[in-house]
Amino acid sequence: MAAQISKADFRDAMARVCAPVNIITTDGPAGRGGFTATAMCSVSDEPPTLLVCMNGRSTQAAMFLANRRFCVNVLTHDHMHLAGKFAGATRDMATRYEAARWQTLASGTPALSDAIVNFDCEIETVHLVGTHNVMIGRVTDVRHGSGGSALLYVDRNYTQPTRLGSFGG
């Protein structure tokens, strides 16, 4: 059996993995919420499905599960301030939402107006893995937005991609 690595070693290693920054939103009978996440990825294109991980101890976890819907808003570098607010720098949800322009999708979820892309999702299943809820969402709508540079997170800092030119010979 392999030796177990420590929580700190794992977190330090994961900090070196570059990931796009997203704000995950919901609205419905349980209320309006939102949080910043880098743990989002495609699962399948048949049917279009993605996953988002959310700390199960979050005060919003029950709200997301009860609403059964979420929207993934992929951020541009210009949204760095907003990412901080939804990551917890601002506790009041109304204040978080007042910091940007939002549209309400047909499903009722808030979509960031100038996001790179918005994925509107219905929660199909949730798996509790360790400390986090892995929410599997069936994508019901996609809205293409701005063409700005993606906001990325690596080495515990926000950054943006650099243009390296063309590859190949």
Side-chain angles (χ1 to χ4, degrees):
M1 178 183 247
Q4 277 213 307
I5 64 167
S6 72
K7 176 180 171 180
D9 285 344
F10 179 72
R11 290 175 65 111
D12 287 344
M14 288 304 298
R16 301 195 62 170
V17 176
C18 185
V21 182
N22 312 281
I23 291 177
I24 315 303
T25 57
T26 192
D27 202 352
R32 182 172 67 166
F35 65 98
T36 301
T38 55
M40 184 282 288
C41 69
S42 165
V43 174
S44 175
D45 63 357
E46 285 190 27
T49 310
L50 56 76
L51 69 79
V52 173
C53 298
M54 177 184 201
N55 192 320
R57 291 177 255 176
S58 167
T59 58
Q60 298 184 64
M63 174 193 313
F64 272 79
L65 299 180
N67 285 343
R68 304 295 301 165
R69 299 205 61 82
F70 63 85
C71 180
V72 175
N73 301 277
V74 181
L75 304 185
T76 70
H77 193 262
D78 294 336
H79 295 123
M80 188 182 313
H81 72 287
L82 198 59
K85 289 180 187 314
F86 277 82
T90 301
R91 291 227 180 255
D92 181 66
M93 197 58 64
T95 303
R96 290 181 187 187
Y97 275 95
E98 288 168 2
R101 289 180 301 114
W102 301 88
Q103 296 176 334
T104 302
L105 300 177
S107 67
T109 58
L112 183 61
S113 296
D114 58 347
I116 292 172
V117 65
N118 311 97
F119 296 95
D120 197 19
C121 302
E122 291 180 358
I123 295 177
E124 285 205 344
T125 186
V126 178
H127 301 279
L128 181 62
V129 180
T131 58
H132 280 65
N133 288 324
V134 180
M135 299 185 294
I136 308 293
R138 185 175 51 80
V139 180
T140 59
D141 193 16
V142 174
R143 193 180 68 80
H144 298 273
S146 74
S149 292
L151 180 60
L152 304 175
Y153 194 73
V154 65
D155 288 333
R156 297 183 175 95
N157 290 297
Y158 295 116
T159 188
Q160 65 184 344
T162 57
R163 304 277 182 217
L164 298 176
S166 61
F167 291 94

